[in-house]
């Protein structure tokens, strides 16, 4: 068999063990090489990658395998392919890189949603404590607006939307872009459960408003430990309700996703 541009000797040798598995391995190696170059600083945010032929030669792989690696990293928002212009490293901002995490989290099953609440219970208190120290007057005003929106909400959907916005203000004020992006992903992923609780549990809406008021007051008082405590209690209450409701639904032969109309 003649070795072509799309199959170099190193890749052709893998055919006997299975062409597909070998191609996956070569692609993974290319992804790792690109990752290492970015980490080294040779290609920073916004950098334009060398031409495809040049980069394939540098890695010792086919152009097809390189394209697969670039395609995978594009889906992860690490690279951006600009038609007719070339391939660039993205901004590498946490919010951009975690987009795929948000999408995957929306597909998670019932019990995994409980695990998402566990993670929120770990992160939300930390964000609230940081916000209590770092939030400025403009942030306080924004937090008050979202709290007022929750109070004035005439529907469950409006309430939960203001709820999510409230937590976003807190997360952004924490001053940690990675933490903020992770919490945004978790907030989006647990939205259905929060809507479901507000519709089903008697007194849940009033309790939610009261819990957010306590968080607001602790942040406004610039008391990080109090903010941490009330934020932890707030998320724990939602998690506790969800665990109980899932147990009830499981006993009835259903599940949260089905019951919520997902």
């Amino acid at each position: 068999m003649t070795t072509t541009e799309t199959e170099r000797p190193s890749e052709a040798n893998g055919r006997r063990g299975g062409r597909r598995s070998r191609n996956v391995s070569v692609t993974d190696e290319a992804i790792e090489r690109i990752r290492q170059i970015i980490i080294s600083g040779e290609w920073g945010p916004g950098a334009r990658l060398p031409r495809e032929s040049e980069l394939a030669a540098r890695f010792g792989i086919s152009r097809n395998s390189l394209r697969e690696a670039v395609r995978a990293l594009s889906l992860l928002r690490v690279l951006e392919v600009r038609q007719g212009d070339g391939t660039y490293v993205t901004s590498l901002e946490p919010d951009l890189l975690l987009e795929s995490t948000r999408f995957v989290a929306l597909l998670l099953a019932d019990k995994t949603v409980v695990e998402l609440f566990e993670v929120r219970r770990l992160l939300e208190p930390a964000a609230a404590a940081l916000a209590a120290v770092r939030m400025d007057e403009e942030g306080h005003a924004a937090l008050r607006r979202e709290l007022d929106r929750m109070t004035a909400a005439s529907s469950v959907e409006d309430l939960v939307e203001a709820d999510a916005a409230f937590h976003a203000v807190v997360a952004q004020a924490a001053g940690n872009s990675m933490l903020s992006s992770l919490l945004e992903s978790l907030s989006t992923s647990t939205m259905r459960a929060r809507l479901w609780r507000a519709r089903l549990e008697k007194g849940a809406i009033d309790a939610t408003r009261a819990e957010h008021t306590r968080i607001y007051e602790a942040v406004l008082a610039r008391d990080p430990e109090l903010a941490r405590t009330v934020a932890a209690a707030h998320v724990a209450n939602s998690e506790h309700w969800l665990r109980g409701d899932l147990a009830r639904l499981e006993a009835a032969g259903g599940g949260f996703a089905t019951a919520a109309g997902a």
Side-chain angles (χ1 to χ4, degrees):
M1 179 185 69
T2 301
T3 300
T4 66
E5 170 60 23
T6 58
E7 187 177 82
R8 294 177 181 272
S10 61
E11 296 176 80
N13 291 338
R15 286 179 61 85
R16 186 167 299 175
R19 181 173 181 177
R20 180 176 177 80
S21 61
R22 178 57 185 167
N23 282 345
V24 169
S25 176
V26 170
T27 300
D28 288 346
E29 289 173 8
I31 290 172
E32 178 60 20
R33 290 285 296 277
I34 293 172
R35 187 181 72 87
Q36 289 296 339
I37 292 172
I38 292 174
I39 290 174
S40 74
E42 181 180 343
W43 298 340
R48 188 180 189 275
L49 272 62
R51 291 181 303 174
E52 184 180 271
S53 58
E54 180 183 339
L55 195 55
R58 175 176 174 176
F59 291 169
I61 63 174
S62 74
R63 293 170 73 169
N64 278 351
S65 292
L66 178 62
R67 286 173 193 146
E68 289 178 10
V70 168
R71 188 178 301 114
L73 289 171
S74 296
L75 291 172
L76 293 174
R77 300 294 191 265
V78 174
L79 298 178
E80 178 187 2
V81 179
R82 301 177 188 174
Q83 195 67 33
D85 186 16
T87 301
Y88 292 78
V89 179
T90 66
S91 66
L92 301 179
E93 290 293 327
D95 188 59
L96 182 67
L97 296 178
L98 289 170
E99 278 186 9
S100 57
T101 303
R102 297 187 194 103
F103 175 76
V104 172
L106 290 172
L107 303 177
L108 297 176
D110 295 349
K111 291 182 179 178
T112 313
V113 174
V114 174
E115 294 179 2
L116 291 177
F117 270 95
E118 287 183 343
V119 177
R120 276 192 70 204
R121 183 156 45 87
L122 294 172
L123 299 182
E124 291 276 8
L130 288 171
V133 175
R134 298 175 177 175
M135 186 178 287
D136 56 20
E137 294 305 315
E138 185 178 346
H140 289 158
L143 201 61
R144 179 74 242 184
R145 283 194 297 272
E146 299 307 334
L147 184 61
D148 289 343
R149 281 181 62 202
M150 292 183 67
T151 301
S154 58
S155 69
V156 169
E157 288 76 14
D158 289 344
L159 175 76
V160 173
E161 181 182 329
D163 178 339
F166 180 98
H167 287 285
V169 172
V170 172
Q172 289 164 11
N176 184 305
S177 59
M178 182 62 73
L179 178 61
S180 176
S181 295
L182 284 171
L183 286 172
E184 182 182 349
S185 298
L186 293 169
S187 178
T188 301
S189 305
T190 57
M191 190 73 77
R192 284 185 303 154
R194 290 145 80 182
L195 284 167
W196 188 236
R197 181 192 179 195
R199 288 170 180 154
L200 281 187
E201 186 182 24
K202 183 178 180 180
I205 291 178
D206 289 339
T208 295
R209 287 169 173 155
E211 289 166 7
H212 284 80
T213 298
R214 285 192 284 273
I215 294 172
Y216 168 76
E217 291 172 346
V219 171
L220 191 66
R222 300 192 181 281
D223 187 332
E225 290 311 311
L226 179 58
R228 187 192 308 276
T229 299
V230 293
H234 166 58
V235 180
N237 285 340
S238 295
E239 180 189 334
H240 177 74
W241 176 85
L242 181 60
R243 286 181 184 278
D245 200 59
L246 283 176
R248 177 185 64 79
L249 290 171
E250 187 175 347
F256 161 71
T258 301

